[in-house]
């Protein structure tokens, strides 16, 4: 668990008790429309995903809380050798402004200290202005653009790739 005591934020591991809440956030239009898969996820598919993720040592599923209230979900997935992870996240649709940035800071602290990651990578659909800004303000470097990589059923969208090294994160904290 990573706690930032001044602000009463923390990230903790996702448990069975969070399953319904996370599914409701994930299926909300305000979240779904920025994901790479955008269909409505049924409870059975979601439960299967959670069970598989819990059994996979390369995955860490986290809940962000502020003053005891769950306000978002973050995951790290170590896809490459050498403690490099992809991350993904969403804030509760009703969460106050600024939640994304606070959640990102708390999750990166967890990733770089508790998980001892070397690098965190993010992939953002180019129309997702808030996530682009959030990555930049957290210190991520833009590493490339995958042109027209994502097809949403009607049109193609670029995907912007970001990376943040542990050493860069340490300089900013
Ligand atoms: C991305 C997300 C976590 C950001 O959380 P948030 O609480 O909305 O964002 P914040 O209030 O912390 O603001 C983040 C940045 O976006 C900017 N922003 C906020 N609302 C905005 C808007 N409507 N348009 C453009 N920029 C906006 C903020 O100014 C801030 O940028 P800054 O640090 O340069 O000032 C949240 O919007 C979300 O869950 N979106 C849906 C899921 C998603 O996109 N996940 C990420 C996939 S890569």
């Amino acid at each position: 668990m990573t706690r930032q005591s001044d602000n009463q934020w923390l990230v903790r591991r996702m448990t069975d008790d969070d399953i319904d809440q996370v599914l409701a956030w994930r299926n909300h239009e305000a979240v779904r429309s920025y994901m790479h898969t955008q269909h409505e996820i049924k409870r059975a598919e979601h439960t299967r995903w959670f069970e598989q993720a819990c059994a996979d040592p390369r995955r860490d599923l986290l809940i962000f809380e502020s003053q005891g209230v769950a306000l978002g979900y973050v995951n790290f997935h170590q896809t490459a050798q050498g403690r490099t992870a992809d991350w993904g996240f969403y804030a509760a649709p009703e969460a106050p402004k600024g939640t994304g940035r606070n959640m990102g800071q708390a999750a990166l602290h967890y990733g770089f200290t508790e998980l001892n990651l070397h690098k965190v990578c993010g992939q953002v659909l180019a129309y997702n202005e808030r996530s682009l800004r959030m990555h930049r303000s957290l210190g991520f470097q833009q590493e490339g653009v995958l042109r027209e990589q994502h097809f949403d059923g009607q049109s193609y969208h670029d995907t912007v790739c970001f990376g943040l090294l542990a050493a860069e994160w340490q300089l900013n904290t």
Side-chain angles (χ1 to χ4, degrees):
M1 185 187 289
T2 281
R3 183 182 296 276
Q4 304 206 328
S5 53
D6 290 353
N7 305 302
Q8 313 237 320
W9 307 328
L10 63 84
V11 286
R12 58 164 176 83
R13 290 192 172 275
M14 179 179 168
T15 70
D16 288 352
D17 293 340
D18 300 305
I19 285 180
D20 288 329
Q21 176 68 91
V22 169
L23 179 61
W25 291 340
R26 177 62 176 79
N27 275 333
H28 194 286
E29 195 53 37
V31 170
R32 191 155 36 118
S33 52
Y34 294 105
M35 298 285 112
H36 282 84
T37 52
Q38 299 185 354
H39 67 285
E40 185 179 353
I41 297 171
K42 301 283 183 239
R43 181 84 166 48
E45 179 186 350
H46 183 64
T47 306
R48 222 171 22 251
W49 159 81
F50 181 65
E51 286 168 357
Q52 283 169 358
C54 287
D56 184 346
R58 298 168 309 161
R59 287 179 183 270
D60 291 275
L61 311 186
L62 305 170
I63 297 293
F64 171 68
E65 284 185 3
S66 176
Q67 302 189 339
V69 179
L71 287 180
Y73 160 83
V74 183
N75 79 81
F76 290 106
H77 185 188
Q78 297 188 45
T79 50
Q81 294 284 343
R83 304 184 322 281
T84 290
D86 290 333
W87 80 335
F89 50 81
Y90 34 88
E94 69 281 4
K97 213 170 160 42
T99 296
R101 194 162 196 286
N102 296 340
M103 176 170 72
Q105 282 177 346
L108 290 173
H109 187 268
Y110 185 96
F112 287 124
T113 58
E114 309 270 333
L115 302 179
N116 195 25
L117 295 175
H118 172 68
K119 181 177 183 182
V120 175
C121 305
Q123 292 211 338
V124 183
L125 294 171
Y127 58 82
N128 191 350
E129 199 56 46
R130 284 178 299 177
S131 184
L132 294 174
R133 291 183 72 115
M134 185 176 142
H135 278 86
R136 288 178 183 130
S137 73
L138 288 170
F140 281 78
Q141 298 284 318
Q142 185 172 318
E143 297 185 335
V145 175
L146 303 174
R147 295 169 307 138
E148 302 195 2
Q149 178 80 2
H150 176 68
F151 183 62
D152 65 8
Q154 288 181 322
S155 43
Y156 289 95
H157 303 278
D158 293 349
T159 297
V160 184
C161 302
F162 287 98
L164 177 65
L165 302 175
E168 295 166 341
W169 174 77
Q170 239 142 20
L171 279 180
N172 283 334
T173 49

